Amino acid sequence: MMAHRTHRSPGFTLVEVTIALVLFALVIGSIYEIYVRGEKSQQVGIELAEASQNARSGVDLIARELRSAGYGIDPSTQPSIVVGSQYRVTFALDTNGNRQIDMGEVVTYFLDPNTSDPLIAGSANPYDFVLRRKAGTNADSLANPVSGQGEIVAYGLTQRTADNITAKNVPLFSYRDVNSIALELKAGTSNDAAGAFYGKTVASADLGVPPGPGTASRVKTVLVSMVTETKQKNVQTGGYDRVTIATSVEPRNFPFLAQANQFTAANTGATGTGTGSGTASGTATGTASGSGTGTASGTGTGSGTGTGTGLPPSQPPIHIPTDRVLALALADLDENDDQEGSQTTQDNQHDLDIVVGTRASGVANIRVWWNGQPDRYTGNVWFRQTESYLGNASFDIPVLAAANVDNSNVEDRDVLAGVTTGTNVGRFQVWQNQAFGYVGQVPGKVGTTTNPAAPNSQYWDNPGTGEVKGLAVGDLNEDGSPDVVLGTKTASNQGKIEIWWGDGAGNYTHTASLDVYAASGEVRSVAIRDMNADGYPDVVAGTKTNTADTSGNIDIFYSNALSIRRFTTTYTVAAGGSVYAIALGRMDADSNPDVITAVRTGATTGKVEFWRNSGIIIGALTRRDEQATPGPAISVAIGHIDYGNVSNDIVVGTSGAGGATPPAVQVFFCDPNATGGAIIPNVFSWADANAGGSVNAVAVGKLQCSQDSPDTDPLADIVAGTATSASTGDLVIYMNPYASLIVP
């Protein structure tokens, strides 16, 4: 009997289909879960970045205005800080300069207790608050905090340290005295009169309230701490991600006209020394015998006339007496750091040294101070009171630059000096770093081995080269070797631009008939930058055009972009006065380098200007903003001075010029995104009106770190060179203490 094989019908059984569907659903579900978690993680990441930016911008806005608290007011009639509480601050400042407090000149920053604002109402985080700014009005001259009133400065603030904390525990404001004691937490202090939500408040007596003759504010600094959180929880941790940004602000508690808002830690003056204790009104007078009064609860010593509210006690400016300073530059000169005399034992620190050019006086008018970073010199100082070595240029040195001009190691910077040899006559000198390889010479020093050092070479047209007032270094013909641009004075209110081509070995040549260009006036400053975005460097000059020294221009000499480089296409625009100094860099939100000018408008007046660069040749520059300075503005530099952003700020130096206003170093914390290009604040952000004399030169750089790791020093420092008499001067170094990151 034949057996029959049972044949299975094609297809799947119900059980198989069911199992397949279950497995498919599990796979799809897992994939979807991964997708959803990924989307949530990405959203949390975006929210964290938003929270970080929100906190940074909020802290920056508060710090900018709070630094100016007390500007232009008399503490005997008006306190600088009216109310100081943990979640609210009210302060006054004379923004229009009429020496009285008008409507809108009392400002309050406060945390709004109402969480129903649309910006935060939709947040899954139940502890969000908004921070508001409110200015005084006719109906409310004291700008009292009221929910919903005032503009929103920041949102998503929780002011707490952990998810399990349901109430604020990180004060937005803390008011510290000279010993860093929190005044709002002193025994006996009470809650803010506007409500317990705003926390403990500084006692009226500590704020100088009520004002009167001899009253004093004990507030030295205000610590601003902002905590923001994400709107939803992190799917990985199950909690909210938070960002804490903080800065320490030193507000002005003193009258502007009497104190000139100077930020020096000690009184200075003519002769002798003196000590004295004083009050927070900070007035001080030094005489030949050195009598004086200091500031706050501290003491001050001085050698003459001066007043001072002081930088933070741990960071006073470094004053180094020297000859009359005309120019300065920051450059890494010495890589034999273990032999510089500091306590540093490791070489190749790549720190910034200071080179100073002075008025010719004897045999030493190039002076160099080596930086003691990181271990410093004996006494815990970055720079010694005496220079590391001297050089003899034999002439006045009104301008300096530093670059590697020969074929030595790139870190072995050389120095170039523009000099004046007579009326309308000058030259430039090359001072090569002795690391170049000469037998018996010392790496880190510049010039020859003579004692004092002398330049290696010098160049000029005979006749032809005028007094060198401006000097810049850059590779103009893109052959890999730095070239030199000179700005000169050839006659009264007349000048020229000279181009000298470098061969990479420290030597320079040019053809006078081809490489010299007429400027619009006496050239006071030059710089190199690609101004029209064609990839080729151009030359920018600031000029003086009249005998009264009140008018001038900005000239741009555009590169022809050919193999034989020339600069015959010129653009000129009238500035607001004689242009004594220029600085180039990105100042607004576009990618073009802009121009900042230091301008003299009269015998005792000046200003700083912001010129926006369009990136084209026709109509290249437009003046978008300007601010008056206390005296003629004669030097300028830009750099990152203020914490909370990465934009450039402006440092300007002024001269007294015989006026009542003392010379000063001023800093403007700029806003690149300001409406209408008004990037310069209406009130300067920081100033030292006791800088030591006419501020002929300023420079910005990070002195407290290796240039290999600049992020270890979050803010740039300021160096100023001054003239205190016809033959004497002062080198003033401001280690940046204005703001600091506390929690990254």
Side-chain angles (χ1 to χ4, degrees):
M1 184 175 182
M2 183 177 293
H4 293 281
R5 177 176 298 174
T6 301
H7 293 280
R8 183 177 178 182
S9 61
F12 300 97
T13 66
L14 179 60
V15 174
E16 290 174 328
V17 171
T18 302
I19 293 173
L21 288 174
V22 171
L23 292 175
F24 180 76
L26 290 174
V27 171
I28 292 299
S30 298
I31 293 174
Y32 181 73
E33 176 67 17
I34 293 172
Y35 170 77
V36 170
R37 292 175 68 88
E39 285 292 303
K40 288 184 178 180
S41 295
Q42 183 180 28
Q43 182 61 32
V44 170
I46 293 173
E47 290 181 3
L48 183 60
E50 181 182 0
S52 178
Q53 180 59 32
N54 183 35
R56 289 177 185 275
S57 61
V59 167
D60 183 48
L61 286 171
I62 294 173
R64 286 173 185 269
E65 194 164 24
L66 187 55
R67 281 191 182 93
S68 299
Y71 173 84
I73 69 173
D74 183 349
S76 66
T77 60
Q78 170 67 54
S80 298
I81 298 179
V82 181
V83 178
S85 302
Q86 292 175 305
Y87 300 99
R88 170 257 184 120
V89 62
T90 299
F91 55 90
L93 66 164
D94 179 22
T95 56
N96 61 14
N98 66 354
R99 305 185 190 181
Q100 65 184 24
I101 299 303
D102 301 317
M103 290 302 101
E105 293 183 337
V106 174
V107 176
T108 296
Y109 283 91
F110 67 98
L111 206 62
D112 192 332
N114 190 340
T115 58
S116 63
D117 190 276
L119 273 176
I120 56 175
S123 171
N125 191 331
Y127 301 105
D128 289 351
F129 298 98
V130 297
L131 175 67
R132 294 185 181 274
R133 178 191 183 275
K134 182 183 178 183
T137 63
N138 287 325
D140 182 14
S141 60
L142 294 181
N144 291 300
V146 178
S147 290
Q149 293 186 8
E151 59 185 313
I152 294 177
V153 173
Y155 57 90
L157 279 69
T158 61
Q159 299 305 121
R160 60 176 185 169
T161 55
D163 287 359
N164 60 354
I165 295 175
T166 59
K168 311 184 303 296
N169 68 338
V170 178
L172 186 60
F173 305 105
S174 181
Y175 309 83
R176 308 300 177 92
D177 64 11
V178 70
N179 297 313
S180 296
I181 302 299
L183 294 172
E184 74 277 9
L185 297 179
K186 286 176 57 178
T189 55
S190 58
N191 288 327
D192 191 305
F197 176 85
Y198 301 110
K200 297 293 184 180
T201 191
V202 178
S204 295
D206 288 336
L207 294 175
V209 179
T215 58
S217 168
R218 293 185 175 86
V219 177
K220 182 68 173 176
T221 58
V222 180
L223 181 63
V224 183
S225 304
M226 192 171 293
V227 182
T228 58
E229 294 182 5
T230 55
K231 297 178 182 178
Q232 58 184 329
K233 293 182 178 181
N234 188 318
V235 294
Q236 304 294 332
T237 64
Y240 295 102
D241 290 338
R242 62 184 50 83
V243 175
T244 303
I245 300 294
T247 187
S248 181
V249 179
E250 183 169 356
R252 296 173 173 83
N253 296 310
F254 304 92
F256 172 66
L257 293 177
Q259 287 293 119
N261 283 309
Q262 61 194 47
F263 273 48
T264 55
N267 301 318
T268 62
T271 60
T273 60
T275 61
S277 61
T279 66
S281 60
T283 57
T285 304
T287 64
S289 61
S291 63
T293 60
T295 63
S297 58
T299 60
T301 61
S303 53
T305 304
T307 60
T309 62
L311 286 169
S314 59
Q315 295 271 2
I318 303 169
H319 282 264
I320 303 176
T322 184
D323 289 344
R324 181 185 179 95
V325 178
L326 303 179
L328 66 86
L330 304 181
D332 179 18
L333 296 179
D334 180 27
E335 287 312 299
N336 287 0
D337 297 278
D338 69 325
Q339 300 177 34
E340 67 188 1
S342 71
Q343 298 172 121
T344 300
T345 59
Q346 297 293 321
D347 290 336
N348 301 309
Q349 291 296 324
H350 297 138
D351 49 12
L352 290 178
D353 308 309
I354 302 174
V355 187
V356 169
T358 70
R359 180 177 178 179
S361 56
V363 293
N365 54 335
I366 282 222
R367 300 170 184 264
V368 178
W369 279 263
W370 283 332
N371 190 335
Q373 192 275 336
D375 299 321
R376 312 189 195 185
Y377 294 95
T378 301
N380 199 34
V381 296
W382 300 94
F383 297 92
R384 292 179 295 191
Q385 284 292 301
T386 56
E387 62 278 330
S388 301
Y389 67 97
L390 309 171
N392 181 22
S394 301
F395 308 104
D396 288 355
I397 304 178
V399 63
L400 286 170
N404 183 266
V405 303
D406 51 41
N407 54 13
S408 60
N409 294 329
V410 66
E411 65 265 21
D412 297 327
R413 300 296 195 276
D414 309 296
V415 174
L416 298 106
V419 302
T420 299
T421 58
T423 302
N424 303 328
V425 182
R427 63 188 64 176
F428 81 95
Q429 300 176 333
V430 178
W431 298 69
Q432 290 173 264
N433 195 308
Q434 294 180 12
F436 187 64
Y438 299 110
V439 176
Q441 297 195 352
V442 181
K445 293 186 177 182
V446 293
T448 68
T449 56
T450 58
N451 189 17
N456 300 87
S457 55
Q458 46 193 333
Y459 302 92
W460 69 97
D461 288 330
N462 189 15
T465 299
E467 297 179 44
V468 179
K469 301 289 189 178
L471 186 151
V473 184
D475 187 3
L476 296 175
N477 57 0
E478 299 179 307
D479 64 352
S481 302
D483 308 304
V484 171
V485 177
L486 302 182
T488 68
K489 175 195 174 189
T490 56
S492 178
N493 306 315
Q494 298 179 31
K496 295 181 178 180
I497 294 293
E498 297 187 10
I499 309 295
W500 291 78
W501 307 104
D503 65 357
N507 304 308
Y508 289 87
T509 59
H510 84 160
T511 303
S513 60
L514 298 175
D515 297 317
V516 178
Y517 308 93
S520 64
E522 171 190 329
V523 181
R524 303 290 312 198
S525 180
V526 294
I528 299 172
R529 202 68 175 263
D530 178 12
M531 299 297 289
N532 59 347
D534 65 353
Y536 298 92
D538 309 304
V539 175
V540 184
T543 69
K544 164 187 175 295
T545 58
N546 72 337
T547 304
D549 203 6
T550 57
S551 70
N553 299 322
I554 303 171
D555 295 344
I556 303 179
F557 297 83
Y558 290 100
S559 170
N560 62 6
L562 301 177
S563 57
I564 301 177
R565 206 60 53 88
R566 294 290 181 263
F567 299 85
T568 55
T569 301
T570 307
Y571 167 86
T572 297
V573 62
S578 293
V579 182
Y580 267 65
I582 59 175
L584 307 183
R586 290 179 57 184
M587 299 302 300
D588 57 10
D590 65 24
S591 59
N592 298 317
D594 304 303
V595 180
I596 300 297
T597 58
V599 170
R600 184 182 189 128
T601 59
T604 60
T605 58
K607 61 182 176 179
V608 58
E609 301 175 319
F610 160 52
W611 292 81
R612 181 181 181 272
N613 178 21
S614 66
I616 60 176
I617 294 178
I618 304 300
L621 300 179
T622 304
R623 183 168 50 210
R624 301 298 294 273
D625 200 7
E626 61 182 37
Q627 290 299 331
T629 55
I634 58 175
S635 58
V636 71
I638 61 175
H640 184 200
I641 306 298
D642 180 28
Y643 174 73
N645 55 65
V646 294
S647 60
N648 280 320
D649 304 304
I650 300 172
V651 181
V652 62
T654 66
S655 69
T661 303
V665 176
Q666 281 186 301
V667 180
F668 295 90
F669 298 152
C670 297
D671 178 6
N673 298 304
T675 303
I679 67 166
I680 310 174
N682 293 329
V683 179
F684 58 78
S685 310
W686 176 88
D688 177 6
N690 204 359
S694 294
V695 185
N696 291 325
V698 290
V700 171
K702 294 186 176 183
L703 301 177
Q704 303 174 75
C705 70
S706 170
Q707 303 309 294
D708 298 332
S709 51
D711 290 342
T712 60
D713 185 6
L715 297 168
D717 309 300
I718 301 171
V719 182
T722 73
T724 54
S725 74
S727 59
T728 61
D730 205 13
L731 181 62
V732 191
I733 306 166
Y734 303 93
M735 296 300 188
N736 195 332
Y738 322 133
S740 59
L741 177 66
I742 293 180
V743 180

